[in-house]
Amino acid sequence: MSALVEFSMFPTEQTQSKSAFVARVLDIVDKSGLEYQLTPMGTIIEGETVEEVLAVINKAYEALQKDCQRVYSSIKIDWREGPVGRLNKKVGSVEAKLGRKLRS
């Protein structure tokens, strides 16, 4: 099975810049051992199950709740039967159809 989960998460009551909080979340994502891709507007994590990926997101919530009173998040989930590895294959499929590499 393969679960691609795109999410963004940040506190609403803190400073205008959210990069310090995003860095804390990404440290958790990176240490999870799951494949991921950081984008300017969020992070995509790939795991074998939705539960596996949501467990990482839950750890990020727990980390931010220590000193943030309100945390906003947006989550999109794409689950399907089949092997993991779609994180890169989906981009590669579009590039193959165009016949060129894209910025990603």
Side-chain angles (χ1 to χ4, degrees), residues 17-80:
S17 175
K18 307 296 183 192
S19 61
F21 299 99
V22 172
R24 286 168 49 187
V25 169
L26 262 291
D27 186 47
I28 292 165
V29 171
D30 188 54
K31 289 177 179 175
S32 75
L34 297 177
E35 289 293 319
Y36 70 93
Q37 180 180 11
L38 174 64
T39 74
M41 299 297 290
T43 302
I44 306 165
I45 306 174
E46 182 174 25
E48 291 186 9
T49 65
V50 173
E51 292 81 7
E52 178 182 39
V53 178
L54 290 180
V56 175
I57 294 172
N58 190 57
K59 285 182 185 178
Y61 263 113
E62 291 172 351
L64 292 184
Q65 287 173 352
K66 292 177 182 175
D67 60 347
C68 302
Q69 294 183 3
R70 187 173 186 179
V71 177
Y72 172 87
S73 66
S74 173
I75 301 174
K76 295 189 287 185
I77 301 171
D78 176 15
W79 173 90
R80 72 176 288 183

Tab-separated table of all heavy atoms in Angstrom, residues 17-80:
chain	number	residue	atom	x	y	z
A	17	SER	N	6.900	35.263	11.025
A	17	SER	CA	7.700	34.211	10.399
A	17	SER	C	7.437	32.885	11.111
A	17	SER	O	7.465	32.797	12.331
A	17	SER	CB	9.196	34.542	10.483
A	17	SER	OG	9.946	33.460	9.984
A	18	LYS	N	7.164	31.870	10.342
A	18	LYS	CA	6.856	30.546	10.897
A	18	LYS	C	7.984	29.548	10.690
A	18	LYS	O	7.876	28.386	11.078
A	18	LYS	CB	5.582	29.978	10.246
A	18	LYS	CG	4.380	30.899	10.310
A	18	LYS	CD	3.939	31.155	11.722
A	18	LYS	CE	2.686	32.017	11.742
A	18	LYS	NZ	2.378	32.527	13.042
A	19	SER	N	9.096	29.973	10.094
A	19	SER	CA	10.150	29.029	9.707
A	19	SER	C	10.757	28.275	10.889
A	19	SER	O	11.109	27.101	10.752
A	19	SER	CB	11.249	29.733	8.907
A	19	SER	OG	11.854	30.744	9.685
A	20	ALA	N	10.869	28.881	12.049
A	20	ALA	CA	11.424	28.170	13.209
A	20	ALA	C	10.517	27.015	13.618
A	20	ALA	O	10.993	25.938	13.991
A	20	ALA	CB	11.623	29.130	14.376
A	21	PHE	N	9.205	27.215	13.522
A	21	PHE	CA	8.253	26.156	13.871
A	21	PHE	C	8.217	25.081	12.789
A	21	PHE	O	8.152	23.896	13.083
A	21	PHE	CB	6.864	26.756	14.101
A	21	PHE	CG	6.845	27.750	15.219
A	21	PHE	CD1	6.893	29.103	14.957
A	21	PHE	CD2	6.807	27.321	16.537
A	21	PHE	CE1	6.895	30.022	15.993
A	21	PHE	CE2	6.806	28.240	17.590
A	21	PHE	CZ	6.852	29.591	17.309
A	22	VAL	N	8.279	25.512	11.539
A	22	VAL	CA	8.334	24.553	10.433
A	22	VAL	C	9.598	23.707	10.548
A	22	VAL	O	9.568	22.490	10.316
A	22	VAL	CB	8.258	25.282	9.071
A	22	VAL	CG1	8.520	24.322	7.918
A	22	VAL	CG2	6.901	25.962	8.913
A	23	ALA	N	10.696	24.308	10.940
A	23	ALA	CA	11.949	23.554	11.112
A	23	ALA	C	11.791	22.482	12.187
A	23	ALA	O	12.297	21.362	12.031
A	23	ALA	CB	13.090	24.505	11.465
A	24	ARG	N	11.091	22.799	13.262
A	24	ARG	CA	10.854	21.797	14.315
A	24	ARG	C	10.026	20.629	13.779
A	24	ARG	O	10.313	19.466	14.064
A	24	ARG	CB	10.144	22.446	15.497
A	24	ARG	CG	11.079	23.331	16.313
A	24	ARG	CD	10.388	24.213	17.307
A	24	ARG	NE	9.414	23.559	18.160
A	24	ARG	CZ	8.617	24.219	18.992
A	24	ARG	NH1	8.697	25.537	19.078
A	24	ARG	NH2	7.761	23.571	19.745
A	25	VAL	N	9.014	20.939	12.991
A	25	VAL	CA	8.177	19.894	12.395
A	25	VAL	C	9.005	19.048	11.428
A	25	VAL	O	8.936	17.817	11.444
A	25	VAL	CB	6.950	20.515	11.688
A	25	VAL	CG1	6.231	19.490	10.837
A	25	VAL	CG2	6.009	21.144	12.712
A	26	LEU	N	9.810	19.704	10.596
A	26	LEU	CA	10.607	18.967	9.610
A	26	LEU	C	11.690	18.117	10.249
A	26	LEU	O	12.060	17.080	9.696
A	26	LEU	CB	11.214	19.933	8.591
A	26	LEU	CG	10.429	20.047	7.296
A	26	LEU	CD1	10.483	18.803	6.459
A	26	LEU	CD2	9.005	20.479	7.505
A	27	ASP	N	12.167	18.508	11.404
A	27	ASP	CA	13.123	17.665	12.122
A	27	ASP	C	12.463	16.335	12.489
A	27	ASP	O	13.066	15.268	12.343
A	27	ASP	CB	13.608	18.391	13.377
A	27	ASP	CG	14.709	17.636	14.098
A	27	ASP	OD1	15.672	17.187	13.433
A	27	ASP	OD2	14.598	17.482	15.334
A	28	ILE	N	11.231	16.384	12.912
A	28	ILE	CA	10.483	15.166	13.252
A	28	ILE	C	10.234	14.327	12.005
A	28	ILE	O	10.428	13.110	12.016
A	28	ILE	CB	9.156	15.543	13.950
A	28	ILE	CG1	9.459	16.150	15.320
A	28	ILE	CG2	8.231	14.342	14.066
A	28	ILE	CD1	8.317	16.886	15.956
A	29	VAL	N	9.825	14.985	10.924
A	29	VAL	CA	9.591	14.275	9.661
A	29	VAL	C	10.876	13.604	9.187
A	29	VAL	O	10.874	12.427	8.821
A	29	VAL	CB	9.036	15.243	8.584
A	29	VAL	CG1	9.000	14.572	7.215
A	29	VAL	CG2	7.662	15.763	8.980
A	30	ASP	N	11.966	14.338	9.201
A	30	ASP	CA	13.245	13.806	8.727
A	30	ASP	C	13.703	12.606	9.552
A	30	ASP	O	14.182	11.615	9.013
A	30	ASP	CB	14.303	14.914	8.749
A	30	ASP	CG	15.594	14.502	8.086
A	30	ASP	OD1	15.551	14.065	6.916
A	30	ASP	OD2	16.649	14.607	8.734
A	31	LYS	N	13.538	12.691	10.855
A	31	LYS	CA	13.964	11.607	11.741
A	31	LYS	C	13.030	10.393	11.682
A	31	LYS	O	13.384	9.329	12.179
A	31	LYS	CB	14.075	12.114	13.176
A	31	LYS	CG	15.258	13.049	13.372
A	31	LYS	CD	15.317	13.593	14.782
A	31	LYS	CE	16.524	14.504	14.959
A	31	LYS	NZ	16.543	15.133	16.286
A	32	SER	N	11.864	10.542	11.052
A	32	SER	CA	10.919	9.422	10.968
A	32	SER	C	11.418	8.305	10.062
A	32	SER	O	10.978	7.166	10.174
A	32	SER	CB	9.563	9.911	10.444
A	32	SER	OG	9.627	10.168	9.039
A	33	GLY	N	12.310	8.639	9.145
A	33	GLY	CA	12.817	7.644	8.201
A	33	GLY	C	11.934	7.473	6.977
A	33	GLY	O	12.289	6.732	6.057
A	34	LEU	N	10.786	8.142	6.943
A	34	LEU	CA	9.905	8.053	5.782
A	34	LEU	C	10.394	8.989	4.679
A	34	LEU	O	11.059	9.994	4.948
A	34	LEU	CB	8.474	8.421	6.163
A	34	LEU	CG	7.784	7.514	7.184
A	34	LEU	CD1	6.398	8.048	7.517
A	34	LEU	CD2	7.700	6.087	6.676
A	35	GLU	N	10.056	8.659	3.440
A	35	GLU	CA	10.375	9.538	2.324
A	35	GLU	C	9.517	10.791	2.439
A	35	GLU	O	8.338	10.714	2.815
A	35	GLU	CB	10.088	8.844	0.989
A	35	GLU	CG	11.063	7.724	0.663
A	35	GLU	CD	12.468	8.237	0.415
A	35	GLU	OE1	12.625	9.295	-0.244
A	35	GLU	OE2	13.415	7.584	0.885
A	36	TYR	N	10.090	11.944	2.115
A	36	TYR	CA	9.333	13.186	2.157
A	36	TYR	C	9.910	14.186	1.179
A	36	TYR	O	11.040	14.043	0.709
A	36	TYR	CB	9.311	13.779	3.575
A	36	TYR	CG	10.643	14.313	4.034
A	36	TYR	CD1	10.969	15.656	3.850
A	36	TYR	CD2	11.573	13.486	4.639
A	36	TYR	CE1	12.198	16.144	4.276
A	36	TYR	CE2	12.793	13.965	5.067
A	36	TYR	CZ	13.105	15.295	4.878
A	36	TYR	OH	14.320	15.781	5.289
A	37	GLN	N	9.110	15.181	0.882
A	37	GLN	CA	9.544	16.275	0.031
A	37	GLN	C	9.034	17.575	0.648
A	37	GLN	O	7.824	17.726	0.872
A	37	GLN	CB	8.990	16.105	-1.381
A	37	GLN	CG	9.387	17.206	-2.327
A	37	GLN	CD	8.800	16.991	-3.723
A	37	GLN	OE1	7.945	16.137	-3.934
A	37	GLN	NE2	9.266	17.750	-4.667
A	38	LEU	N	9.933	18.485	0.923
A	38	LEU	CA	9.577	19.802	1.439
A	38	LEU	C	9.282	20.717	0.254
A	38	LEU	O	10.034	20.752	-0.713
A	38	LEU	CB	10.730	20.373	2.272
A	38	LEU	CG	10.589	21.807	2.764
A	38	LEU	CD1	9.413	21.930	3.718
A	38	LEU	CD2	11.884	22.256	3.430
A	39	THR	N	8.164	21.438	0.321
A	39	THR	CA	7.830	22.425	-0.693
A	39	THR	C	7.643	23.770	0.016
A	39	THR	O	7.549	23.803	1.245
A	39	THR	CB	6.530	22.047	-1.450
A	39	THR	OG1	5.406	22.288	-0.601
A	39	THR	CG2	6.548	20.594	-1.905
A	40	PRO	N	7.575	24.864	-0.718
A	40	PRO	CA	7.399	26.159	-0.061
A	40	PRO	C	6.087	26.291	0.720
A	40	PRO	O	6.001	27.095	1.636
A	40	PRO	CB	7.414	27.155	-1.228
A	40	PRO	CG	8.148	26.470	-2.307
A	40	PRO	CD	7.819	25.017	-2.161
A	41	MET	N	5.087	25.487	0.377
A	41	MET	CA	3.777	25.618	1.007
A	41	MET	C	3.381	24.424	1.864
A	41	MET	O	2.277	24.377	2.395
A	41	MET	CB	2.700	25.833	-0.062
A	41	MET	CG	2.904	27.097	-0.878
A	41	MET	SD	2.819	28.606	0.108
A	41	MET	CE	1.096	28.630	0.513
A	42	GLY	N	4.254	23.444	2.004
A	42	GLY	CA	3.927	22.265	2.793
A	42	GLY	C	4.963	21.172	2.627
A	42	GLY	O	6.008	21.378	2.024
A	43	THR	N	4.639	20.016	3.152
A	43	THR	CA	5.527	18.855	3.091
A	43	THR	C	4.699	17.649	2.683
A	43	THR	O	3.576	17.471	3.143
A	43	THR	CB	6.165	18.602	4.473
A	43	THR	OG1	6.874	19.777	4.864
A	43	THR	CG2	7.120	17.425	4.433
A	44	ILE	N	5.275	16.821	1.820
A	44	ILE	CA	4.632	15.588	1.389
A	44	ILE	C	5.415	14.433	2.001
A	44	ILE	O	6.636	14.366	1.859
A	44	ILE	CB	4.616	15.456	-0.143
A	44	ILE	CG1	3.994	16.694	-0.774
A	44	ILE	CG2	3.874	14.180	-0.557
A	44	ILE	CD1	4.262	16.817	-2.258
A	45	ILE	N	4.717	13.541	2.693
A	45	ILE	CA	5.330	12.359	3.299
A	45	ILE	C	4.717	11.131	2.641
A	45	ILE	O	3.513	11.081	2.404
A	45	ILE	CB	5.073	12.279	4.820
A	45	ILE	CG1	5.503	13.550	5.539
A	45	ILE	CG2	5.796	11.074	5.417
A	45	ILE	CD1	5.142	13.559	7.016
A	46	GLU	N	5.554	10.115	2.387
A	46	GLU	CA	5.050	8.862	1.846
A	46	GLU	C	5.335	7.727	2.817
A	46	GLU	O	6.443	7.599	3.323
A	46	GLU	CB	5.691	8.536	0.506
A	46	GLU	CG	5.143	7.251	-0.093
A	46	GLU	CD	5.645	6.968	-1.494
A	46	GLU	OE1	6.738	7.452	-1.851
A	46	GLU	OE2	4.940	6.273	-2.224
A	47	GLY	N	4.321	6.924	3.064
A	47	GLY	CA	4.467	5.743	3.906
A	47	GLY	C	3.651	4.605	3.349
A	47	GLY	O	2.941	4.753	2.353
A	48	GLU	N	3.742	3.468	3.996
A	48	GLU	CA	2.974	2.308	3.552
A	48	GLU	C	1.509	2.412	3.948
A	48	GLU	O	0.647	1.861	3.266
A	48	GLU	CB	3.598	1.027	4.099
A	48	GLU	CG	4.946	0.719	3.473
A	48	GLU	CD	5.497	-0.621	3.892
A	48	GLU	OE1	4.779	-1.409	4.529
A	48	GLU	OE2	6.657	-0.891	3.569
A	49	THR	N	1.219	3.106	5.044
A	49	THR	CA	-0.164	3.258	5.496
A	49	THR	C	-0.418	4.704	5.906
A	49	THR	O	0.501	5.448	6.251
A	49	THR	CB	-0.470	2.355	6.710
A	49	THR	OG1	0.321	2.797	7.824
A	49	THR	CG2	-0.185	0.889	6.416
A	50	VAL	N	-1.695	5.061	5.886
A	50	VAL	CA	-2.086	6.388	6.354
A	50	VAL	C	-1.732	6.527	7.832
A	50	VAL	O	-1.235	7.571	8.266
A	50	VAL	CB	-3.598	6.624	6.120
A	50	VAL	CG1	-4.056	7.915	6.763
A	50	VAL	CG2	-3.913	6.622	4.630
A	51	GLU	N	-1.961	5.485	8.603
A	51	GLU	CA	-1.683	5.521	10.044
A	51	GLU	C	-0.216	5.823	10.326
A	51	GLU	O	0.109	6.577	11.242
A	51	GLU	CB	-2.080	4.197	10.698
A	51	GLU	CG	-3.563	3.930	10.714
A	51	GLU	CD	-4.120	3.370	9.392
A	51	GLU	OE1	-3.320	3.055	8.474
A	51	GLU	OE2	-5.343	3.270	9.287
A	52	GLU	N	0.665	5.234	9.523
A	52	GLU	CA	2.107	5.446	9.697
A	52	GLU	C	2.464	6.921	9.505
A	52	GLU	O	3.225	7.495	10.284
A	52	GLU	CB	2.861	4.571	8.691
A	52	GLU	CG	4.356	4.724	8.709
A	52	GLU	CD	5.024	3.856	7.660
A	52	GLU	OE1	4.503	3.718	6.533
A	52	GLU	OE2	6.100	3.315	7.974
A	53	VAL	N	1.898	7.527	8.484
A	53	VAL	CA	2.191	8.936	8.214
A	53	VAL	C	1.530	9.838	9.251
A	53	VAL	O	2.139	10.786	9.748
A	53	VAL	CB	1.755	9.314	6.783
A	53	VAL	CG1	2.008	10.790	6.527
A	53	VAL	CG2	2.493	8.460	5.755
A	54	LEU	N	0.291	9.533	9.607
A	54	LEU	CA	-0.403	10.359	10.604
A	54	LEU	C	0.278	10.292	11.968
A	54	LEU	O	0.213	11.257	12.739
A	54	LEU	CB	-1.872	9.955	10.711
A	54	LEU	CG	-2.743	10.301	9.498
A	54	LEU	CD1	-4.182	9.845	9.719
A	54	LEU	CD2	-2.692	11.789	9.166
A	55	ALA	N	0.954	9.194	12.268
A	55	ALA	CA	1.702	9.103	13.528
A	55	ALA	C	2.829	10.136	13.557
A	55	ALA	O	3.107	10.738	14.605
A	55	ALA	CB	2.254	7.687	13.710
A	56	VAL	N	3.464	10.367	12.426
A	56	VAL	CA	4.528	11.384	12.340
A	56	VAL	C	3.918	12.770	12.525
A	56	VAL	O	4.446	13.602	13.270
A	56	VAL	CB	5.274	11.288	10.986
A	56	VAL	CG1	6.289	12.414	10.842
A	56	VAL	CG2	5.946	9.926	10.845
A	57	ILE	N	2.790	13.013	11.870
A	57	ILE	CA	2.119	14.307	12.002
A	57	ILE	C	1.671	14.534	13.440
A	57	ILE	O	1.773	15.645	13.970
A	57	ILE	CB	0.956	14.405	11.002
A	57	ILE	CG1	1.507	14.414	9.570
A	57	ILE	CG2	0.098	15.635	11.267
A	57	ILE	CD1	0.457	14.310	8.487
A	58	ASN	N	1.202	13.489	14.102
A	58	ASN	CA	0.801	13.607	15.503
A	58	ASN	C	1.988	13.986	16.393
A	58	ASN	O	1.849	14.814	17.305
A	58	ASN	CB	0.162	12.309	15.990
A	58	ASN	CG	-0.475	12.477	17.344
A	58	ASN	OD1	-1.336	13.324	17.522
A	58	ASN	ND2	-0.034	11.681	18.305
A	59	LYS	N	3.162	13.414	16.129
A	59	LYS	CA	4.367	13.791	16.901
A	59	LYS	C	4.680	15.272	16.707
A	59	LYS	O	5.103	15.951	17.642
A	59	LYS	CB	5.557	12.942	16.471
A	59	LYS	CG	5.519	11.533	16.977
A	59	LYS	CD	6.768	10.773	16.547
A	59	LYS	CE	6.667	9.315	16.953
A	59	LYS	NZ	7.836	8.534	16.524
A	60	ALA	N	4.471	15.763	15.498
A	60	ALA	CA	4.711	17.184	15.235
A	60	ALA	C	3.730	18.047	16.031
A	60	ALA	O	4.117	19.066	16.604
A	60	ALA	CB	4.593	17.464	13.739
A	61	TYR	N	2.471	17.644	16.070
A	61	TYR	CA	1.483	18.361	16.900
A	61	TYR	C	1.927	18.387	18.357
A	61	TYR	O	1.886	19.422	19.017
A	61	TYR	CB	0.114	17.677	16.831
A	61	TYR	CG	-0.825	18.291	15.841
A	61	TYR	CD1	-1.219	17.586	14.724
A	61	TYR	CD2	-1.335	19.567	16.036
A	61	TYR	CE1	-2.094	18.135	13.805
A	61	TYR	CE2	-2.203	20.126	15.130
A	61	TYR	CZ	-2.585	19.405	14.019
A	61	TYR	OH	-3.448	19.952	13.118
A	62	GLU	N	2.337	17.245	18.866
A	62	GLU	CA	2.766	17.172	20.262
A	62	GLU	C	3.942	18.103	20.528
A	62	GLU	O	4.001	18.753	21.583
A	62	GLU	CB	3.119	15.737	20.623
A	62	GLU	CG	1.910	14.820	20.673
A	62	GLU	CD	2.267	13.353	20.830
A	62	GLU	OE1	3.462	12.999	20.740
A	62	GLU	OE2	1.337	12.548	21.020
A	63	ALA	N	4.853	18.197	19.577
A	63	ALA	CA	6.015	19.079	19.754
A	63	ALA	C	5.598	20.548	19.780
A	63	ALA	O	6.101	21.327	20.597
A	63	ALA	CB	7.029	18.833	18.647
A	64	LEU	N	4.689	20.939	18.909
A	64	LEU	CA	4.267	22.339	18.876
A	64	LEU	C	3.361	22.706	20.040
A	64	LEU	O	3.366	23.844	20.502
A	64	LEU	CB	3.561	22.652	17.551
A	64	LEU	CG	4.427	22.630	16.297
A	64	LEU	CD1	3.603	23.068	15.086
A	64	LEU	CD2	5.665	23.505	16.440
A	65	GLN	N	2.597	21.752	20.540
A	65	GLN	CA	1.684	22.033	21.644
A	65	GLN	C	2.414	22.399	22.933
A	65	GLN	O	1.816	22.980	23.829
A	65	GLN	CB	0.776	20.830	21.901
A	65	GLN	CG	-0.283	20.653	20.834
A	65	GLN	CD	-1.076	19.367	21.001
A	65	GLN	OE1	-0.754	18.521	21.826
A	65	GLN	NE2	-2.111	19.208	20.198
A	66	LYS	N	3.688	22.102	23.010
A	66	LYS	CA	4.451	22.422	24.219
A	66	LYS	C	4.524	23.921	24.475
A	66	LYS	O	4.560	24.356	25.614
A	66	LYS	CB	5.856	21.825	24.132
A	66	LYS	CG	5.855	20.321	24.180
A	66	LYS	CD	7.244	19.761	24.027
A	66	LYS	CE	7.194	18.233	24.022
A	66	LYS	NZ	8.494	17.644	23.759
A	67	ASP	N	4.569	24.718	23.391
A	67	ASP	CA	4.669	26.163	23.595
A	67	ASP	C	3.787	26.978	22.647
A	67	ASP	O	3.958	28.180	22.516
A	67	ASP	CB	6.125	26.622	23.494
A	67	ASP	CG	6.757	26.312	22.151
A	67	ASP	OD1	6.183	25.542	21.373
A	67	ASP	OD2	7.840	26.849	21.881
A	68	CYS	N	2.828	26.343	22.013
A	68	CYS	CA	1.888	27.031	21.131
A	68	CYS	C	0.470	26.724	21.604
A	68	CYS	O	0.140	25.575	21.880
A	68	CYS	CB	2.052	26.541	19.687
A	68	CYS	SG	3.710	26.778	19.020
A	69	GLN	N	-0.342	27.759	21.680
A	69	GLN	CA	-1.704	27.556	22.171
A	69	GLN	C	-2.697	27.240	21.064
A	69	GLN	O	-3.793	26.750	21.337
A	69	GLN	CB	-2.162	28.788	22.939
A	69	GLN	CG	-1.361	28.982	24.195
A	69	GLN	CD	-1.869	30.166	24.998
A	69	GLN	OE1	-2.854	30.804	24.654
A	69	GLN	NE2	-1.190	30.446	26.085
A	70	ARG	N	-2.326	27.516	19.815
A	70	ARG	CA	-3.218	27.218	18.693
A	70	ARG	C	-2.361	26.837	17.491
A	70	ARG	O	-1.468	27.586	17.096
A	70	ARG	CB	-4.085	28.423	18.363
A	70	ARG	CG	-5.141	28.135	17.327
A	70	ARG	CD	-6.063	29.318	17.174
A	70	ARG	NE	-7.171	28.982	16.267
A	70	ARG	CZ	-8.136	29.832	15.966
A	70	ARG	NH1	-8.138	31.041	16.480
A	70	ARG	NH2	-9.097	29.463	15.147
A	71	VAL	N	-2.656	25.676	16.903
A	71	VAL	CA	-1.899	25.176	15.756
A	71	VAL	C	-2.867	24.931	14.607
A	71	VAL	O	-3.871	24.236	14.760
A	71	VAL	CB	-1.148	23.864	16.104
A	71	VAL	CG1	-0.430	23.306	14.888
A	71	VAL	CG2	-0.170	24.100	17.248
A	72	TYR	N	-2.549	25.518	13.461
A	72	TYR	CA	-3.347	25.338	12.253
A	72	TYR	C	-2.678	24.277	11.391
A	72	TYR	O	-1.456	24.228	11.286
A	72	TYR	CB	-3.419	26.653	11.470
A	72	TYR	CG	-4.059	26.491	10.114
A	72	TYR	CD1	-5.432	26.569	9.961
A	72	TYR	CD2	-3.292	26.246	8.988
A	72	TYR	CE1	-6.030	26.411	8.726
A	72	TYR	CE2	-3.876	26.076	7.749
A	72	TYR	CZ	-5.247	26.159	7.615
A	72	TYR	OH	-5.822	25.995	6.389
A	73	SER	N	-3.493	23.432	10.751
A	73	SER	CA	-2.918	22.481	9.804
A	73	SER	C	-3.884	22.240	8.659
A	73	SER	O	-5.093	22.408	8.785
A	73	SER	CB	-2.565	21.158	10.482
A	73	SER	OG	-3.739	20.510	10.910
A	74	SER	N	-3.303	21.842	7.565
A	74	SER	CA	-4.044	21.452	6.377
A	74	SER	C	-3.457	20.116	5.941
A	74	SER	O	-2.231	19.979	5.854
A	74	SER	CB	-3.852	22.504	5.286
A	74	SER	OG	-4.418	22.070	4.076
A	75	ILE	N	-4.309	19.130	5.679
A	75	ILE	CA	-3.828	17.790	5.346
A	75	ILE	C	-4.604	17.253	4.148
A	75	ILE	O	-5.842	17.311	4.125
A	75	ILE	CB	-3.995	16.823	6.532
A	75	ILE	CG1	-3.222	17.330	7.745
A	75	ILE	CG2	-3.544	15.417	6.162
A	75	ILE	CD1	-3.446	16.519	9.010
A	76	LYS	N	-3.871	16.733	3.157
A	76	LYS	CA	-4.459	16.041	2.010
A	76	LYS	C	-3.876	14.633	1.970
A	76	LYS	O	-2.671	14.459	2.158
A	76	LYS	CB	-4.135	16.761	0.708
A	76	LYS	CG	-4.753	18.145	0.611
A	76	LYS	CD	-4.602	18.741	-0.770
A	76	LYS	CE	-3.188	19.169	-1.040
A	76	LYS	NZ	-3.016	19.858	-2.322
A	77	ILE	N	-4.713	13.637	1.726
A	77	ILE	CA	-4.286	12.241	1.747
A	77	ILE	C	-4.635	11.563	0.425
A	77	ILE	O	-5.766	11.671	-0.050
A	77	ILE	CB	-4.949	11.468	2.905
A	77	ILE	CG1	-4.587	12.117	4.244
A	77	ILE	CG2	-4.555	9.994	2.877
A	77	ILE	CD1	-5.352	11.561	5.424
A	78	ASP	N	-3.662	10.868	-0.160
A	78	ASP	CA	-3.871	10.051	-1.351
A	78	ASP	C	-3.397	8.643	-1.016
A	78	ASP	O	-2.203	8.397	-0.880
A	78	ASP	CB	-3.090	10.619	-2.537
A	78	ASP	CG	-3.200	9.760	-3.791
A	78	ASP	OD1	-4.082	8.877	-3.861
A	78	ASP	OD2	-2.391	9.970	-4.707
A	79	TRP	N	-4.332	7.727	-0.838
A	79	TRP	CA	-4.010	6.340	-0.507
A	79	TRP	C	-4.385	5.461	-1.686
A	79	TRP	O	-5.393	5.694	-2.349
A	79	TRP	CB	-4.787	5.884	0.724
A	79	TRP	CG	-4.607	4.423	0.997
A	79	TRP	CD1	-3.638	3.870	1.776
A	79	TRP	CD2	-5.372	3.333	0.490
A	79	TRP	NE1	-3.750	2.505	1.770
A	79	TRP	CE2	-4.819	2.146	0.978
A	79	TRP	CE3	-6.465	3.245	-0.356
A	79	TRP	CZ2	-5.322	0.888	0.678
A	79	TRP	CZ3	-6.965	1.990	-0.665
A	79	TRP	CH2	-6.401	0.832	-0.140
A	80	ARG	N	-3.562	4.461	-1.956
A	80	ARG	CA	-3.906	3.488	-2.992
A	80	ARG	C	-3.168	2.186	-2.768
A	80	ARG	O	-2.144	2.156	-2.096
A	80	ARG	CB	-3.631	4.031	-4.387
A	80	ARG	CG	-2.149	4.131	-4.717
A	80	ARG	CD	-1.898	4.565	-6.120
A	80	ARG	NE	-2.238	3.491	-7.043
A	80	ARG	CZ	-2.079	3.542	-8.342
A	80	ARG	NH1	-1.593	4.631	-8.897
A	80	ARG	NH2	-2.395	2.533	-9.108
